Amino acid sequence: MTNTARATFGGKFGVLMATLGTAVGLGNIWRFPYMCGAHGGGAFLLVFILCILFLGLPVMITEFFIGRHSQRNVTGAFDVLAPGTRWNLIGYNGVITSFLILGFYTVVSGWTLEYMFQSVFYSFEHKTAVDIKADFSAFSTDIVRPLFWTLMVVLITQIVIMSGVKKGIERSAKVLMPLLFVFLLLLAIRSVTLPNASVGLRYLFEPDFSKIDSAAILSAMGQAFFSLSIGMGCLITFSSYFGKNTNMQETAFQVNIISILVAILAGVIIFPAAFSFGIQPTAGAELVFITLPNVFAQLPWGNLWAFFFYALLAVAAITSVISLHEVVTLYLHEEHHISRKKAAYYVSFAVVILASISSLSLGYLKEYTLFGLTFFDFLDYITAKIMLPLGGMMICIFVGYRIEKRILKAELTNEGTIPFYFFNSYAFFVKYLAPVAIALILLYEIGVFKFLAGLF
Ligand code: PFF
């Protein structure tokens, strides 16, 4: 594809909704409550917000710069901006990370389809919290059903990718993302009016600082990167489709704020309900899937609510799957000159294999672990907690040290036609603060400091 043939997103609202389609997904609604519950609630939320604002925002703006300035895919972008160098390794890290994330993200997206299906054919009514938990366990450890739904997710993705960038993604995101927010808002209202809801709210909003350890900080940083879809070039690919008049600082800021709000909303839905139904907030990856059916079970027309909720969640998940898939497909298409269609088929095929292993690792292959983690958890851990922050750090170092400030400013101010009031602070964050902070958090978790302390 030549530069001139690249499609562009049209309209301010379209750009924002399409970017939100990529950013908002299972990360906010499934992964945030589960991580927040695993690391003590309020304190995690606080560190997560700090990571979004101080690390996520600058990294996102920087990715937008790289994508729109180069007009290329995630590895090609570095070849254009730094020809003949190995900076394109950042891009390869991104392609591999996208692929590995797809390995578990498509499985969880499949779970949302199963629950959508269940809300049509089975009633949640009269089920107790214990039944609901047992049902989820039986389903997620089953061999065939999760695989079937994962396959459906990949199939839908393949179809959307084939139908072209602008048409498919933008049109659906414009309508469905706002609808999802409205639904989340309604569910939050229901949840906070449940008996005992205040315990859950306190859990989410009252930080207990004794819960902050290196694992919690690493998880919060990983969650911020995952939730914003940064650190792996997804937004480089995405912004290569932005028009020259898109206000990228503003878009990044809006996406960051909305991402925080959606995560908080998910917390406000999940924690009061979990405490109300006696579910442990530390339940792990199943937290959302065992908490929400209890809420639906008690609502009038509960199954109808459940259907719409899981349908919208599935759409949010699949829009994210599409953009992850697009990173790998576009790389194969532009760098290896494989037709778009063929490239998409190859990626889909490989994803189905990877996702099958990760789905089976929750049941049938549970005994086989890597570093003490199931394959599913392993993919989640290395991508969110290691590869994304590492990618984000390298992206900042690249732009901070390799790109002339003048060029950076020109691109981010649309050639001087819009202001960027905090440009100098932004540039300082990108060059010094973000890389140092990310490196320290990563090194701390790996145990380098403990090791050094042991030497003296
Ligand atoms: N940000 C997405 C979510 O919160 O669900 C997940 C994601 C999508 C991560 C796309 C990375 C990515 F490239």
Side-chain angles (χ1 to χ4, degrees), residues 75-95:
T75 59
F78 293 95
D79 292 331
V80 168
L81 299 180
T85 66
R86 296 315 289 162
W87 284 106
N88 59 9
L89 286 175
I90 302 176
Y92 290 105
N93 176 63
V95 174

Side-chain angles (χ1 to χ4, degrees), residues 60-337:
M60 186 180 280
I61 296 176
T62 308
E63 287 198 22
F64 283 170
F65 161 78
I66 296 176
R68 193 178 66 178
H69 195 66
S70 68
Q71 299 267 300
R72 291 284 295 278
N73 66 71
V74 61
T75 59
F78 293 95
D79 292 331
V80 168
L81 299 180
T85 66
R86 296 315 289 162
W87 284 106
N88 59 9
L89 286 175
I90 302 176
Y92 290 105
N93 176 63
V95 174
I96 297 169
T97 312
S98 301
F99 177 63
L100 296 181
I101 292 179
L102 282 167
F104 66 94
Y105 204 91
T106 48
V107 175
V108 183
S109 307
W111 296 350
T112 62
L113 291 183
E114 159 78 17
Y115 272 69
M116 190 174 124
F117 174 83
Q118 280 194 20
S119 48
V120 177
F121 293 99
Y122 304 101
S123 177
F124 292 121
E125 235 179 290
H126 310 304
K127 285 207 168 152
T128 64
V130 176
D131 297 335
I132 286 171
K133 188 170 162 38
D135 284 353
F136 180 80
S137 250
F139 161 67
S140 63
T141 55
D142 186 40
I143 298 181
V144 180
R145 260 165 57 208
L147 287 188
F148 169 76
W149 290 119
T150 306
L151 206 64
M152 286 299 126
V153 169
V154 178
L155 203 70
I156 296 170
T157 307
Q158 174 77 27
I159 293 169
V160 176
I161 293 233
M162 299 314 345
S163 81
V165 178
K166 188 170 169 163
K167 268 189 294 157
I169 304 176
E170 195 177 347
R171 204 191 294 149
S172 47
K174 256 189 197 166
V175 183
L176 296 168
M177 295 314 288
L179 211 58
L180 176 68
F181 300 141
V182 173
F183 239 78
L184 288 172
L185 213 59
L186 292 175
L187 277 177
I189 295 171
R190 167 69 271 216
S191 212
V192 296
T193 49
L194 285 168
N196 227 3
S198 60
V199 184
L201 288 176
R202 253 183 278 129
Y203 182 80
L204 179 64
F205 292 117
E206 270 180 17
D208 170 1
F209 292 105
S210 68
K211 294 275 167 49
I212 300 188
D213 53 11
S214 68
I217 296 176
L218 181 72
S219 291
M221 176 170 74
Q223 178 59 29
F225 277 71
F226 189 86
S227 174
L228 295 173
S229 312
I230 52 175
M232 33 76 72
C234 176
L235 295 182
I236 294 180
T237 301
F238 224 69
S239 54
S240 70
Y241 296 115
F242 283 176
K244 279 291 172 200
N245 57 356
T246 296
N247 185 336
M248 299 196 291
Q249 325 142 31
E250 190 183 81
T251 306
F253 185 70
Q254 289 165 339
V255 172
N256 275 250
I257 297 298
I258 294 176
S259 230
I260 294 175
L261 291 180
V262 177
I264 293 179
L265 215 50
V268 171
I269 296 171
I270 299 299
F271 292 112
F275 282 95
S276 186
F277 297 110
I279 295 164
Q280 289 300 322
T282 49
E286 61 188 51
L287 184 64
V288 172
F289 290 90
I290 59 174
T291 306
L292 282 178
N294 284 291
V295 178
F296 297 129
Q298 290 204 349
L299 278 175
W301 304 91
N303 273 47
L304 199 65
W305 278 88
F307 175 78
F308 281 114
F309 175 75
Y310 287 117
L312 288 170
L313 186 56
V315 171
I318 291 171
T319 47
S320 298
V321 170
I322 292 165
S323 47
L324 285 159
H325 194 297
E326 179 73 23
V327 172
V328 193
T329 301
L330 192 65
Y331 159 73
L332 289 179
H333 171 57
E334 291 192 349
E335 298 300 311
H336 293 278
H337 310 293

